[in-house]
Amino acid sequence: MWMPFRFTFRTAVLLACLLPPVGAEAAQPVDVALVLAVDVSRSMSPEELQIQRKGYAAAVSSPEVVNAIGMGVHGRIALMMFEWANDSHAREIAGWTIIESKADAEGFAEKILSDTTFGQRRTSISGAIRHATGFLEDVPFQADRRVIDVSGDGPNNQGLPVTEARDAALQSGIVINGLPLMTTGGIGFQFNIPDLDVYYRRCVTGGPASFVLPVVDWEQFPDAVRRKLILEIGGWSPQEPKLVPAQFTFEEPYDCLVGEKIWQRLREQNFWNQ
């Protein structure tokens, strides 16, 4: 026997739950959401800051990086870049952008070059990781992987201990790779440590296939960034001697508060010398 369909308020609510919102679209899938976290602390000279900016622009728009993007499952990545120094400084240079063509990469590089860098006080790698994690949590795309690419020329000396920020990011499924700048120059040379690559490996980086790529001369910088981006886009583990896999175990304890202790020692010396 045929029964008439009764459209009730309950039925309307059920249909509303089953149907997608008007105008809603699925987030665009990308192979990786990659944050470029760039150190602009005053320990680097203005000339070095400019080399750094040009190096990132050249690497992002290089044919090798564009080809690596095209080889991914989705053939596209999401990329953004910000500068960091002290715990509160996170200045966005280029917001989240889909890169899937040469034109996209060149457009991103133009944004990098069109901005001006101004050095800031202190070095808070923990702040950089915290800000980068926030950017990744708000990424408007569906990313297969989420990666923080952090570069810097000294250890953490302000904000939370770097290991706390690192561990929180790793627990969220984020990978952190490091580009320690083991160069000389700038006004903050007294904060440099000779084993910055080890510091990055033991205290900063982590996650599946994470790695550290040291830079010991500024002439190496553009090529190092290009190689690093190719590895991060492809999700490959480093195989070359210069690329040090992160997070070895069974090693002697490492003091991840070395930067904070240097800062405190210098403050005490200045106090007694006044």
Side-chain angles (χ1 to χ4, degrees):
M1 180 178 178
W2 178 82
M3 296 290 293
F5 176 76
R6 298 180 61 189
F7 188 85
T8 64
F9 176 76
R10 182 178 180 181
T11 305
V13 172
L14 179 61
L15 289 174
C17 293
L18 295 175
L19 295 174
V22 176
E25 297 180 359
Q28 192 171 13
V30 295
D31 292 304
V32 61
L34 176 60
V35 176
L36 303 179
V38 182
D39 181 10
V40 294
S41 59
R42 289 180 182 171
S43 55
M44 287 190 285
S45 68
E47 293 77 17
E48 291 172 336
L49 292 175
Q50 189 64 17
I51 292 172
Q52 183 172 240
R53 183 69 70 94
K54 291 181 178 179
Y56 273 103
V60 168
S61 59
S62 68
E64 295 86 351
V65 169
V66 174
N67 289 338
I69 293 172
M71 294 173 62
V73 174
H74 304 296
R76 70 180 73 89
I77 68 169
L79 187 64
M80 72 89 59
M81 177 177 174
F82 78 98
E83 294 179 336
W84 62 272
N86 56 66
D87 185 57
S88 62
H89 185 77
R91 182 170 173 267
E92 185 176 305
I93 303 303
W96 283 117
T97 305
I98 287 286
I99 310 292
E100 59 182 341
S101 67
K102 178 181 178 182
D104 295 334
E106 291 176 345
F108 194 93
E110 289 176 3
K111 291 181 181 179
I112 295 175
L113 294 175
S114 64
D115 192 86
T116 302
T117 293
F118 299 97
Q120 302 291 322
R121 295 182 68 252
R122 306 297 294 268
T123 299
S124 180
I125 302 175
S126 59
I129 294 174
R130 180 172 54 84
H131 289 298
T133 299
F135 287 126
L136 284 169
E137 289 175 348
D138 294 334
V139 62
F141 309 107
Q142 183 62 45
D144 291 352
R145 292 177 291 113
R146 297 182 299 162
V147 178
I148 298 172
D149 178 328
V150 58
S151 64
D153 72 339
N156 193 80
N157 63 38
Q158 194 240 357
L160 287 173
V162 67
T163 51
E164 292 187 19
R166 176 200 64 191
D167 293 347
L170 299 186
Q171 289 174 5
S172 298
I174 295 171
V175 173
I176 306 174
N177 295 323
L179 188 73
L181 307 176
M182 303 176 67
T183 55
T184 58
I187 62 175
F189 63 91
Q190 65 269 35
F191 293 103
N192 293 343
I193 58 175
D195 60 345
L196 186 63
D197 52 344
V198 178
Y199 174 86
Y200 262 70
R201 177 169 60 84
R202 300 290 298 274
C203 309
V204 178
T205 57
S210 60
F211 62 91
V212 172
L213 201 167
V215 175
V216 297
D217 189 290
W218 279 108
E219 292 184 357
Q220 301 175 344
F221 186 80
D223 181 61
V225 175
R226 177 181 56 81
R227 293 167 59 217
K228 192 166 189 284
L229 288 176
I230 292 172
L231 288 168
E232 289 167 333
I233 291 166
W236 301 319
S237 298
Q239 301 295 329
E240 301 177 47
K242 289 184 179 180
L243 303 177
V244 184
Q247 304 302 306
F248 278 121
T249 56
F250 307 113
E251 295 182 276
E252 291 295 324
Y254 188 92
D255 185 5
C256 291
L257 295 176
V258 58
E260 287 85 347
K261 292 178 179 179
I262 292 174
W263 178 268
Q264 183 62 33
R265 184 179 71 247
L266 292 174
R267 285 194 62 185
E268 293 173 352
Q269 290 175 352
N270 290 335
F271 175 80
W272 291 112
N273 290 332
Q274 289 178 354

